Amino acid sequence: MSSTVAGGPVAKADFITDRQGNVKLALGVNVNGERKVFRFVEEGRTWSEVPSETFGEGYYPLTFDESGSSLLFLDDKDSDIQGLFKLDIGSGKQTLLYRDDKVDITDVEFNLDRSNAYAIRVDPDYPTYVMLDKKSEEAKVFRFLLKIFPGYKINITSQSRDGNLWMIYANNDRSAGSYYLYNKKTNKFALLFSNFS
């Protein structure tokens, strides 16, 4: 059985939810072609517009953190270079987590439920990763993979519930990419299949 949570505050809105599926943000364009962002206020079940100066022209929402109170997003606010930001939806406090000196962020690596960003990829000349978190299990495995596949773009696509088996995708400018199964207990890799170049 389904029910309506709220009507969209702007035409053709995209909605962003937290880990529990609660609607948190709506993004869209008004009749004047201006990009607008609204946060959902649970008390009263209404929408409140986020001030336009909160974001730059190139903002791109990614996910909410585990608490559901902070949004992670990419933006080029106050710079020509895109950075990773964190926004406390309640207070409006914004924090720059990382911005490279020369290039935009190419990719952000999340844990499997997307509640935590543990690494950022930038490509000044070749794939370079900046670790934001070194303690989570995904981050530890990812750092190990970077040593095994130097110069490759790495993605952890899935893992078993017990944390022993990990599906890995690795590619670079000389390889169309391959999928591997990593057994953490035995510390061995099995090539599953490769894309055609």
Side-chain angles (χ1 to χ4, degrees):
M1 184 176 180
S2 62
S3 61
T4 301
V5 174
V10 65
K12 297 181 180 179
D14 290 322
F15 297 92
I16 302 178
T17 64
D18 62 14
R19 303 274 67 71
Q20 289 72 45
N22 301 308
V23 175
K24 289 288 188 176
L25 285 182
L27 305 92
V29 179
N30 66 12
V31 293
N32 298 318
E34 301 166 324
R35 299 177 74 188
K36 296 293 182 179
V37 181
F38 295 82
R39 69 181 182 90
F40 186 65
V41 182
E42 189 64 41
E43 301 81 11
R45 304 179 74 76
T46 59
W47 293 101
S48 175
E49 185 174 351
V50 178
S52 58
E53 60 269 19
T54 302
F55 303 103
E57 288 295 320
Y59 79 85
Y60 183 80
L62 295 172
T63 189
F64 276 88
D65 66 3
E66 190 172 8
S67 70
S69 62
S70 293
L71 173 72
L72 294 177
F73 65 99
L74 298 175
D75 204 348
D76 57 3
K77 182 180 180 181
D78 302 324
S79 174
D80 293 331
I81 299 174
Q82 192 180 59
L84 177 66
F85 290 81
K86 183 177 184 178
L87 173 69
D88 185 298
I89 295 298
S91 68
K93 180 182 178 182
Q94 190 173 137
T95 304
L96 174 62
L97 300 179
Y98 179 80
R99 176 181 276 147
D100 190 74
D101 293 333
K102 299 178 180 178
V103 296
D104 288 339
I105 292 171
T106 308
D107 196 13
V108 181
E109 300 298 329
F110 293 96
N111 58 354
L112 291 180
D113 70 359
R114 292 184 63 82
S115 64
N116 178 46
Y118 60 81
I120 289 173
R121 191 184 108 218
V122 291
D123 296 335
D125 297 305
Y126 54 87
T128 303
Y129 289 89
V130 178
M131 299 300 299
L132 300 175
D133 168 24
K134 299 180 180 178
K135 296 181 180 180
S136 70
E137 196 60 31
E138 287 96 338
K140 291 177 182 177
V141 170
F142 195 78
R143 290 179 69 191
F144 169 72
L145 294 173
L146 293 178
K147 295 177 181 178
I148 299 297
F149 298 96
Y152 277 75
K153 302 169 189 175
I154 304 294
N155 290 104
I156 297 173
T157 64
S158 62
Q159 69 182 75
S160 60
R161 290 190 178 184
D162 63 3
N164 182 50
L165 299 176
W166 300 71
M167 181 80 77
I168 312 300
Y169 178 70
N171 72 306
N172 61 17
D173 57 357
R174 299 179 305 278
S175 166
S178 298
Y179 286 88
Y180 299 86
L181 184 65
Y182 170 56
N183 187 314
K184 187 180 176 187
K185 186 178 295 183
T186 62
N187 199 31
K188 291 183 178 180
F189 290 86
L191 174 63
L192 299 178
F193 60 89
S194 298
N195 294 328
F196 291 108
S197 300

